[in-house]
Amino acid sequence: PLVDMPIMGFDMIAIGDKITGLFFDFTPTVSTSSILEHSLKKLKKRYNSTERKLPEWATFFSNDFYCVTPDPSELADILKDIKKYIEYYLYMGRGLREEYEYNIHIQNGYCKGQQKNDKTLKALAAEIGLPDAKCFMMKYLFPEIDNL
């Protein structure tokens, strides 16, 4: 929840030693990733495995949700591609996490600076008293963000 990335989902269903279902998606959250969406489209175009029909409740997945009964002759190659896309997803997530933490650092610097503004503190204190003014500035007007 700390970064704006699609939710990666991967699942394989087996009955005995036969893979009957392979499911892979980058489900959108706030935004989508065109690179990740493209990887799903590539999987669909590259392999001839039988597409599976999604159940009625499965309306939240991406439009390119990869949902197949894999052809046994393609399975190893499909899994290699999926592994590559998962590795890219994890790499992308690390970069976004670092960006998120840096943005928190910048935001907190702004808040710390604003908390030192005596004019704002005095104006608030004249209306609500000094203890409440300090509390309001620190907790509500210019709160620092915990690095979640």
Side-chain angles (χ1 to χ4, degrees):
L2 303 180
V3 295
D4 182 18
M5 283 182 65
I7 299 167
M8 191 273 302
F10 174 70
D11 195 8
M12 283 194 316
I13 306 298
I15 297 175
D17 60 354
K18 183 178 182 199
I19 307 285
T20 60
L22 192 143
F23 311 92
F24 185 55
D25 195 32
F26 296 110
T27 304
T29 54
V30 176
S31 63
T32 61
S33 166
S34 58
I35 293 171
L36 296 175
E37 287 176 353
H38 183 68
S39 66
L40 295 170
K41 288 178 183 173
K42 282 174 61 177
L43 279 174
K44 285 183 174 184
K45 289 179 183 175
R46 184 170 181 194
Y47 299 106
N48 296 315
S49 292
T50 307
E51 261 192 75
R52 291 176 59 128
K53 186 176 186 230
L54 293 175
E56 289 181 26
W57 57 264
T59 59
F60 55 92
F61 294 112
S62 77
N63 292 334
D64 295 304
F65 180 51
Y66 190 67
C67 175
V68 299
T69 299
D71 183 311
S73 67
E74 296 179 330
L75 183 60
D77 289 333
I78 293 171
L79 292 175
K80 282 180 191 174
D81 282 347
I82 288 175
K83 180 180 183 255
K84 178 175 61 176
Y85 299 141
I86 290 172
E87 287 171 346
Y88 178 76
Y89 175 83
L90 294 172
Y91 172 78
M92 192 173 98
R94 280 191 292 274
L96 289 174
R97 173 66 188 216
E98 290 168 6
E99 182 180 319
Y100 171 83
E101 289 171 353
Y102 182 70
N103 288 343
I104 286 176
H105 173 75
I106 298 298
Q107 177 73 26
N108 283 344
Y110 175 86
C111 289
K112 286 176 187 176
Q114 287 286 14
Q115 291 168 357
K116 295 175 185 174
N117 185 335
D118 283 343
K119 289 183 181 182
T120 301
L121 180 61
K122 288 176 185 175
L124 286 169
E127 296 296 322
I128 62 174
L130 187 59
D132 286 341
K134 284 182 178 179
C135 177
F136 183 75
M137 280 187 66
M138 300 293 277
K139 285 182 80 175
Y140 302 104
L141 193 55
F142 302 111
E144 291 181 51
I145 301 167
D146 290 330
N147 193 356
L148 305 172

